[in-house]
Coordinates of all heavy atoms in Angstrom, one line a residue:
M178 N 48.7 72.8 -54.4 CA 49.4 73.7 -55.3 C 50.1 74.7 -54.4 O 49.6 75.2 -53.4 CB 48.3 74.4 -56.2 CG 49.0 75.4 -57.2 SD 47.8 76.4 -58.1 CE 46.2 75.7 -57.9
N179 N 51.3 75.0 -54.8 CA 52.1 76.0 -54.1 C 51.8 77.4 -54.7 O 51.9 77.6 -55.9 CB 53.6 75.7 -54.2 CG 54.3 76.2 -52.9 OD1 53.7 76.2 -51.8 ND2 55.6 76.5 -53.0
S180 N 51.4 78.3 -53.9 CA 51.0 79.6 -54.4 C 51.8 80.7 -53.8 O 52.4 80.6 -52.7 CB 49.5 79.8 -54.0 OG 48.7 78.8 -54.6
R181 N 51.7 81.9 -54.4 CA 52.5 83.0 -54.0 C 51.6 84.2 -53.9 O 50.8 84.5 -54.8 CB 53.6 83.3 -55.0 CG 54.6 84.4 -54.6 CD 55.8 84.4 -55.5 NE 56.5 83.1 -55.3 CZ 57.3 82.5 -56.2 NH1 57.5 83.1 -57.4 NH2 57.9 81.4 -56.0
A182 N 51.7 85.0 -52.8 CA 50.9 86.2 -52.6 C 51.7 87.4 -53.1 O 52.9 87.4 -53.0 CB 50.5 86.4 -51.2
R183 N 51.0 88.4 -53.6 CA 51.6 89.6 -54.0 C 50.8 90.7 -53.3 O 49.6 90.7 -53.3 CB 51.6 89.8 -55.5 CG 52.5 88.8 -56.2 CD 52.6 89.1 -57.7 NE 53.6 88.3 -58.3 CZ 53.5 87.8 -59.6 NH1 52.4 88.1 -60.3 NH2 54.4 87.0 -60.1
V184 N 51.5 91.7 -52.8 CA 50.9 92.8 -52.1 C 51.1 94.1 -52.9 O 52.2 94.4 -53.3 CB 51.5 93.0 -50.7 CG1 51.0 94.3 -50.1 CG2 51.2 91.8 -49.8
D185 N 50.0 94.8 -53.2 CA 50.1 96.1 -53.9 C 50.4 97.1 -52.8 O 49.6 97.5 -52.0 CB 48.7 96.4 -54.5 CG 48.7 97.8 -55.2 OD1 49.7 98.5 -55.0 OD2 47.7 98.1 -55.9
E186 N 51.6 97.5 -52.8 CA 52.1 98.4 -51.8 C 51.4 99.8 -51.8 O 51.3 100.4 -50.7 CB 53.6 98.7 -51.9 CG 54.4 97.4 -51.7 CD 55.9 97.6 -51.8 OE1 56.3 98.7 -52.1 OE2 56.7 96.6 -51.6
N187 N 50.8 100.2 -52.9 CA 50.1 101.4 -53.0 C 48.7 101.3 -52.3 O 48.2 102.3 -51.9 CB 50.0 101.9 -54.4 CG 51.3 102.2 -55.0 OD1 52.2 102.8 -54.4 ND2 51.5 101.8 -56.3
S188 N 48.2 100.1 -52.2 CA 46.9 99.9 -51.6 C 47.0 99.4 -50.2 O 46.0 99.7 -49.4 CB 46.1 98.8 -52.4 OG 46.0 99.2 -53.7
C189 N 48.1 98.8 -49.8 CA 48.2 98.3 -48.4 C 48.1 99.4 -47.4 O 48.8 100.4 -47.5 CB 49.5 97.5 -48.3 SG 49.8 96.9 -46.6
S190 N 47.2 99.2 -46.4 CA 47.1 100.1 -45.3 C 47.7 99.7 -44.0 O 47.6 100.4 -43.0 CB 45.6 100.5 -45.1 OG 44.9 99.3 -44.9
G191 N 48.3 98.5 -44.0 CA 49.2 98.2 -42.9 C 48.6 97.8 -41.6 O 49.3 97.8 -40.6
H192 N 47.3 97.4 -41.7 CA 46.7 97.0 -40.4 C 47.0 95.6 -40.0 O 46.8 95.2 -38.8 CB 45.2 97.2 -40.4 CG 44.9 98.7 -40.5 ND1 45.2 99.6 -39.6 CD2 44.2 99.4 -41.5 CE1 44.8 100.8 -40.0 NE2 44.2 100.7 -41.1
G193 N 47.5 94.7 -40.9 CA 48.0 93.4 -40.5 C 47.0 92.3 -40.5 O 47.3 91.3 -39.9
D194 N 45.8 92.5 -41.1 CA 44.9 91.3 -41.1 C 45.5 90.1 -41.7 O 45.3 89.0 -41.3 CB 43.6 91.7 -41.8 CG 42.9 93.0 -41.2 OD1 43.6 94.0 -41.1 OD2 41.8 92.9 -40.9
C195 N 46.3 90.4 -42.8 CA 46.9 89.2 -43.5 C 47.9 88.5 -42.5 O 48.0 87.3 -42.6 CB 47.7 89.7 -44.7 SG 48.9 91.0 -44.4
V196 N 48.6 89.2 -41.7 CA 49.6 88.6 -40.8 C 48.8 87.8 -39.7 O 49.2 86.7 -39.3 CB 50.4 89.7 -40.1 CG1 51.4 89.1 -39.1 CG2 51.1 90.6 -41.1
D197 N 47.6 88.3 -39.3 CA 46.8 87.5 -38.4 C 46.3 86.2 -39.0 O 46.3 85.2 -38.3 CB 45.6 88.4 -37.9 CG 45.9 89.6 -37.1 OD1 47.0 89.6 -36.6 OD2 45.1 90.5 -37.0
V198 N 46.0 86.2 -40.2 CA 45.5 85.0 -40.9 C 46.6 84.1 -41.2 O 46.5 82.9 -41.0 CB 44.7 85.4 -42.2 CG1 44.3 84.1 -43.0 CG2 43.4 86.2 -41.8
A199 N 47.7 84.6 -41.7 CA 48.8 83.8 -42.2 C 50.2 84.3 -41.8 O 50.9 84.9 -42.6 CB 48.7 83.7 -43.7
P200 N 50.5 84.1 -40.5 CA 51.7 84.7 -40.0 C 53.0 84.1 -40.6 O 54.1 84.6 -40.5 CB 51.7 84.5 -38.5 CG 50.6 83.4 -38.3 CD 49.7 83.5 -39.4
S201 N 52.8 82.9 -41.2 CA 54.0 82.2 -41.8 C 54.2 82.8 -43.2 O 55.3 82.6 -43.8 CB 53.7 80.7 -41.9 OG 52.6 80.5 -42.7
I202 N 53.3 83.6 -43.7 CA 53.4 84.1 -45.1 C 53.7 85.6 -45.1 O 54.4 86.0 -46.0 CB 52.1 83.9 -45.8 CG1 51.6 82.4 -45.8 CG2 52.2 84.3 -47.3 CD1 52.5 81.4 -46.5
F203 N 53.1 86.3 -44.2 CA 53.2 87.8 -44.3 C 53.9 88.3 -43.0 O 53.7 87.8 -41.9 CB 51.8 88.4 -44.3 CG 51.0 88.1 -45.6 CD1 50.1 87.0 -45.5 CD2 51.1 88.8 -46.7 CE1 49.4 86.6 -46.6 CE2 50.4 88.4 -47.9 CZ 49.5 87.3 -47.8
R204 N 54.6 89.4 -43.1 CA 55.0 90.2 -42.0 C 54.9 91.7 -42.3 O 55.0 92.1 -43.5 CB 56.4 89.7 -41.5 CG 57.5 90.6 -42.0 CD 58.8 90.1 -41.4 NE 59.8 90.4 -42.5 CZ 60.9 89.7 -42.7 NH1 61.1 88.6 -42.0 NH2 61.7 90.0 -43.7
L205 N 54.8 92.5 -41.3 CA 54.7 93.9 -41.5 C 56.1 94.5 -41.4 O 56.8 94.3 -40.5 CB 53.8 94.6 -40.5 CG 52.3 94.5 -40.7 CD1 51.5 95.2 -39.6 CD2 51.9 95.0 -42.1
D206 N 56.4 95.4 -42.4 CA 57.7 96.1 -42.5 C 57.3 97.5 -42.8 O 56.9 97.8 -43.9 CB 58.6 95.4 -43.5 CG 59.9 96.1 -43.6 OD1 60.3 96.7 -42.6 OD2 60.6 95.9 -44.6
D207 N 57.5 98.4 -41.8 CA 57.2 99.8 -42.0 C 55.7 100.0 -42.5 O 55.4 100.8 -43.4 CB 58.1 100.5 -43.1 CG 59.5 100.9 -42.4 OD1 59.5 101.0 -41.2 OD2 60.4 101.0 -43.2
D208 N 54.8 99.3 -41.8 CA 53.4 99.4 -42.1 C 53.0 99.0 -43.5 O 51.9 99.4 -44.0 CB 52.9 100.8 -41.8 CG 52.8 101.0 -40.3 OD1 52.7 100.0 -39.5 OD2 52.7 102.2 -39.9
I209 N 53.9 98.2 -44.2 CA 53.5 97.6 -45.4 C 53.7 96.1 -45.3 O 54.7 95.6 -44.8 CB 54.4 98.1 -46.6 CG1 54.3 99.6 -46.8 CG2 54.1 97.4 -47.9 CD1 53.0 100.1 -47.3
A210 N 52.7 95.3 -45.8 CA 52.9 93.9 -45.7 C 53.9 93.4 -46.6 O 53.9 93.8 -47.8 CB 51.5 93.2 -45.9
E211 N 54.8 92.5 -46.1 CA 55.8 91.9 -47.0 C 55.5 90.4 -47.0 O 55.1 89.8 -46.0 CB 57.1 92.2 -46.3 CG 58.3 91.7 -47.1 CD 59.6 92.0 -46.3 OE1 59.6 92.3 -45.1 OE2 60.7 91.8 -46.9
V212 N 55.7 89.8 -48.2 CA 55.5 88.4 -48.4 C 56.8 87.7 -48.1 O 57.8 88.0 -48.8 CB 55.0 88.0 -49.8 CG1 54.8 86.5 -50.0 CG2 53.6 88.8 -50.0
V213 N 56.8 86.7 -47.2 CA 58.1 86.1 -46.8 C 58.2 84.6 -47.2 O 59.2 84.0 -47.1 CB 58.3 86.2 -45.3 CG1 58.5 87.7 -44.9 CG2 57.2 85.6 -44.4
A214 N 57.0 84.1 -47.7 CA 57.1 82.7 -48.1 C 55.9 82.4 -49.0 O 54.9 83.1 -49.1 CB 56.9 81.8 -46.8
D215 N 56.1 81.3 -49.8 CA 54.9 80.7 -50.6 C 54.1 79.9 -49.6 O 54.5 79.6 -48.5 CB 55.4 79.9 -51.7 CG 56.2 80.7 -52.8 OD1 56.0 81.9 -52.8 OD2 56.9 80.1 -53.6
G216 N 52.9 79.5 -50.1 CA 52.1 78.7 -49.2 C 50.9 78.1 -49.9 O 50.8 78.2 -51.1
P217 N 50.1 77.3 -49.1 CA 49.0 76.6 -49.7 C 47.9 77.6 -50.2 O 47.7 78.7 -49.6 CB 48.4 75.8 -48.6 CG 49.0 76.3 -47.4 CD 50.3 77.0 -47.7
V218 N 47.3 77.3 -51.4 CA 46.4 78.3 -52.0 C 45.2 78.7 -51.1 O 44.8 79.9 -51.1 CB 46.0 77.8 -53.4 CG1 45.1 76.5 -53.2 CG2 45.2 78.8 -54.2
E219 N 44.7 77.7 -50.3 CA 43.6 78.0 -49.5 C 43.9 79.1 -48.5 O 43.1 80.0 -48.2 CB 43.1 76.8 -48.8 CG 42.6 75.7 -49.7 CD 43.7 74.8 -50.2 OE1 44.9 75.0 -49.9 OE2 43.4 73.9 -51.0
L220 N 45.1 79.0 -47.9 CA 45.5 80.0 -46.9 C 45.8 81.3 -47.5 O 45.4 82.4 -46.9 CB 46.8 79.5 -46.2 CG 47.4 80.4 -45.1 CD1 46.4 80.5 -43.9 CD2 48.7 79.8 -44.6
L221 N 46.4 81.4 -48.6 CA 46.6 82.7 -49.3 C 45.3 83.4 -49.7 O 45.2 84.6 -49.6 CB 47.6 82.5 -50.4 CG 48.9 81.9 -50.1 CD1 49.9 82.2 -51.3 CD2 49.5 82.5 -48.9
I222 N 44.4 82.6 -50.2 CA 43.1 83.2 -50.6 C 42.4 83.7 -49.3 O 41.8 84.8 -49.4 CB 42.3 82.2 -51.4 CG1 42.9 82.0 -52.8 CG2 40.8 82.7 -51.5 CD1 42.2 81.0 -53.7
E223 N 42.4 82.9 -48.3 CA 41.8 83.4 -47.0 C 42.4 84.7 -46.6 O 41.7 85.6 -46.2 CB 42.0 82.3 -45.9 CG 41.3 82.6 -44.6 CD 41.5 81.5 -43.6 OE1 42.0 80.4 -43.9 OE2 41.2 81.8 -42.4
A224 N 43.7 84.8 -46.7 CA 44.4 86.1 -46.3 C 44.0 87.2 -47.2 O 43.7 88.3 -46.8 CB 45.9 85.9 -46.3
A225 N 43.9 86.9 -48.5 CA 43.5 87.9 -49.5 C 42.1 88.4 -49.3 O 41.8 89.6 -49.3 CB 43.7 87.4 -50.9
E226 N 41.2 87.5 -48.9 CA 39.8 87.9 -48.7 C 39.7 88.7 -47.4 O 38.8 89.5 -47.2 CB 38.9 86.6 -48.6 CG 38.8 86.0 -49.9 CD 37.9 84.7 -49.9 OE1 37.8 84.0 -48.8 OE2 37.4 84.3 -51.0
A227 N 40.6 88.5 -46.4 CA 40.6 89.2 -45.2 C 41.2 90.6 -45.3 O 41.0 91.5 -44.4 CB 41.4 88.5 -44.1
C228 N 41.8 90.9 -46.4 CA 42.5 92.2 -46.6 C 41.4 93.3 -46.8 O 40.8 93.3 -47.9 CB 43.5 92.2 -47.7 SG 44.2 93.8 -48.1
P229 N 41.3 94.3 -46.0 CA 40.3 95.3 -46.2 C 40.6 96.2 -47.3 O 39.7 96.9 -47.8 CB 40.3 96.1 -44.8 CG 41.6 95.8 -44.2 CD 42.0 94.4 -44.7
A230 N 41.8 96.2 -47.8 CA 42.2 97.1 -48.9 C 42.2 96.4 -50.2 O 42.5 97.0 -51.2 CB 43.5 97.7 -48.6
A231 N 41.9 95.1 -50.2 CA 42.0 94.3 -51.4 C 43.3 94.4 -52.1 O 43.4 94.6 -53.3 CB 40.8 94.6 -52.4
A232 N 44.4 94.4 -51.3 CA 45.7 94.7 -51.8 C 46.5 93.4 -52.1 O 47.6 93.5 -52.7 CB 46.5 95.4 -50.7
I233 N 45.9 92.2 -51.8 CA 46.6 91.0 -52.0 C 46.0 90.2 -53.2 O 44.8 90.0 -53.3 CB 46.4 90.1 -50.8 CG1 47.0 90.8 -49.5 CG2 47.1 88.7 -51.0 CD1 46.8 90.1 -48.2
S234 N 46.9 89.8 -54.1 CA 46.5 88.9 -55.2 C 47.3 87.6 -55.0 O 48.4 87.6 -54.3 CB 46.8 89.5 -56.6 OG 48.1 89.9 -56.7
V235 N 46.8 86.5 -55.6 CA 47.5 85.2 -55.4 C 47.8 84.7 -56.8 O 46.9 84.7 -57.6 CB 46.6 84.3 -54.6 CG1 47.2 82.9 -54.4 CG2 46.2 84.9 -53.2
V236 N 49.0 84.2 -57.0 CA 49.3 83.6 -58.2 C 49.9 82.2 -58.0 O 50.4 81.8 -56.9 CB 50.4 84.4 -59.0 CG1 49.9 85.8 -59.2 CG2 51.7 84.4 -58.3
D237 N 49.9 81.4 -59.0 CA 50.5 80.0 -59.0 C 52.0 80.3 -58.9 O 52.6 81.0 -59.7 CB 50.1 79.3 -60.2 CG 50.7 77.8 -60.2 OD1 51.9 77.7 -60.1 OD2 49.9 76.9 -60.4
A238 N 52.7 79.7 -57.9 CA 54.1 79.9 -57.7 C 55.0 79.4 -58.9 O 56.1 79.9 -59.1 CB 54.5 79.3 -56.4
D239 N 54.5 78.4 -59.6 CA 55.3 77.9 -60.7 C 55.0 78.6 -62.0 O 56.0 78.9 -62.7 CB 54.9 76.4 -60.8 CG 55.3 75.6 -59.6 OD1 56.3 75.9 -59.0 OD2 54.5 74.7 -59.2
T240 N 53.8 78.9 -62.3 CA 53.5 79.4 -63.6 C 53.2 80.9 -63.6 O 53.3 81.5 -64.7 CB 52.2 78.8 -64.2 OG1 51.1 79.1 -63.4 CG2 52.3 77.2 -64.2
G241 N 53.0 81.5 -62.4 CA 52.7 82.9 -62.4 C 51.2 83.2 -62.7 O 50.8 84.4 -62.7
E242 N 50.5 82.2 -63.0 CA 49.1 82.4 -63.4 C 48.3 83.0 -62.2 O 48.4 82.5 -61.1 CB 48.4 81.1 -63.9 CG 47.0 81.2 -64.3 CD 46.4 79.8 -64.6 OE1 47.2 78.8 -64.6 OE2 45.2 79.7 -64.7
Q243 N 47.4 84.0 -62.5 CA 46.7 84.6 -61.4 C 45.5 83.7 -61.0 O 44.8 83.2 -61.8 CB 46.1 86.0 -61.8 CG 45.4 86.7 -60.7 CD 45.5 88.2 -60.8 OE1 46.4 88.7 -61.4 NE2 44.5 88.9 -60.2
I244 N 45.4 83.5 -59.6 CA 44.4 82.6 -59.1 C 43.3 83.4 -58.4 O 42.2 83.1 -58.4 CB 45.1 81.6 -58.0 CG1 46.1 80.8 -58.7 CG2 44.0 80.8 -57.3 CD1 47.0 80.0 -57.8
F245 N 43.7 84.5 -57.7 CA 42.8 85.4 -57.0 C 43.3 86.8 -57.1 O 44.5 87.0 -56.9 CB 42.7 84.9 -55.5 CG 41.7 85.7 -54.7 CD1 40.4 85.3 -54.6 CD2 42.1 86.9 -54.1 CE1 39.5 86.0 -53.8 CE2 41.2 87.6 -53.3 CZ 39.9 87.2 -53.2
P246 N 42.5 87.8 -57.2 CA 41.0 87.7 -57.4 C 40.7 87.2 -58.9 O 41.5 87.3 -59.7 CB 40.5 89.1 -57.2 CG 41.6 90.0 -57.6 CD 42.9 89.2 -57.3
Ligands
SF4_474 S1 45.6 92.9 -44.8 FE1 46.0 94.0 -46.7 S2 46.1 96.2 -46.1 FE2 46.4 95.0 -44.2 S3 48.6 94.7 -44.0 FE3 47.8 93.0 -45.2 S4 48.0 93.5 -47.3 FE4 48.2 95.4 -46.1

């Protein structure tokens, strides 16, 4: 399944754990994580679980249905 991450910019603290886990999906821009690509659901959930601020949610890229949390 192709999934899409969303970052709550008000919660993101910019330490980049998501970039460490999934550098193909996230990059830091002015200390806020930006989503640059869709990706496999397992990887996006791993990144979301690594986020200390719980700022990442994951949705189905096709339907928009929330997958995580
Ligand atoms: S891990 Fe979470 S808090 Fe840290 S940069 Fe990524 S989205 Fe922001």
